[in-house]
Amino acid sequence: MIVRLSKILLLATIALWIALVAFGNLTDYGSNWPFVQHVLAMDTIFPHAGIRYRAIHSPLLQRGAYALIIAIEALAAALCWWGTWRLWRARRASAGAFHRAKRVAVLGLAVGVALWLGGFVAVGGEWFGMWMSSQWNGIQSAFRFALVLLAMLIWLGQRDDELDD
């Protein structure tokens, strides 16, 4: 039971973390808005970088990208919370039932990995050259998010034994 409870507790902690990120972006929109704006505008990358043609200068498209980021964060948080609830309900069930209850949590964690690894590291870092910016470089933070979520995916994915009577 302790292994199941640890998975539930850690998933709930991650759900809280992602929910706080989304909540912070919604309630303090202006704090991360300049980050998104500068990364998409590519105005702080190396001056002679040959990829500057990829820049997005349209405020409408920039705001749309920021809204999409926040929506994906909220989706990942909601799926992780839902997954936590499903695991809590299945905590005393058979090993097979508990394993099946993990599906929503796995989806939530995967959405988070897709956002931070795919969205920030791949798209932001490589497509928009965020790695070239000394001021607006979020690759380390995004990589940290992705690693935590991947570690949880590995831990959660481990098969659980049947409960002792």
Side-chain angles (χ1 to χ4, degrees):
M1 180 61 87
I2 195 74
V3 171
R4 289 183 183 190
L5 290 176
S6 74
K7 289 178 180 183
I8 295 166
L9 176 64
L10 293 176
L11 181 62
T13 303
I14 287 174
L16 175 63
W17 178 31
I18 298 171
L20 289 173
V21 170
F23 180 75
N25 281 334
L26 283 171
T27 60
D28 189 14
Y29 186 88
S31 287
N32 285 323
W33 166 240
F35 170 82
V36 173
Q37 204 172 21
H38 286 287
V39 168
L40 295 178
M42 301 173 72
D43 56 1
T44 61
I45 67 169
F46 299 159
H48 301 292
I51 62 170
R52 287 185 169 275
Y53 71 91
R54 301 174 184 170
I56 296 175
H57 297 289
S58 164
L60 180 65
L61 292 177
Q62 291 172 342
R63 289 204 185 273
Y66 192 28
L68 181 62
I69 290 167
I70 296 169
I72 294 171
E73 291 167 348
L75 175 63
L79 289 168
C80 286
W81 280 122
W82 184 19
T84 300
W85 179 77
R86 287 176 48 98
L87 289 177
W88 178 256
R89 287 192 54 207
R91 73 189 181 282
R92 297 190 193 283
S94 69
F98 187 76
H99 191 71
R100 285 187 300 277
K102 297 175 183 179
R103 292 175 182 160
V104 174
V106 167
L107 181 59
L109 293 166
V111 167
V113 171
L115 173 62
W116 281 289
L117 190 58
F120 283 89
V121 176
V123 175
E126 293 302 319
W127 183 258
F128 290 106
M130 182 170 58
W131 67 270
M132 292 185 234
S133 176
S134 59
Q135 186 178 4
W136 302 106
N137 186 342
I139 291 176
Q140 284 184 329
S141 293
F143 190 70
R144 183 182 69 241
F145 270 70
L147 279 183
V148 169
L149 298 175
L150 284 168
M152 185 63 204
L153 269 169
I154 292 168
W155 174 233
L156 186 63
Q158 300 300 305
R159 284 268 179 195
D160 298 279
D161 293 332
E162 294 293 342
L163 294 176
D164 294 331
D165 291 333

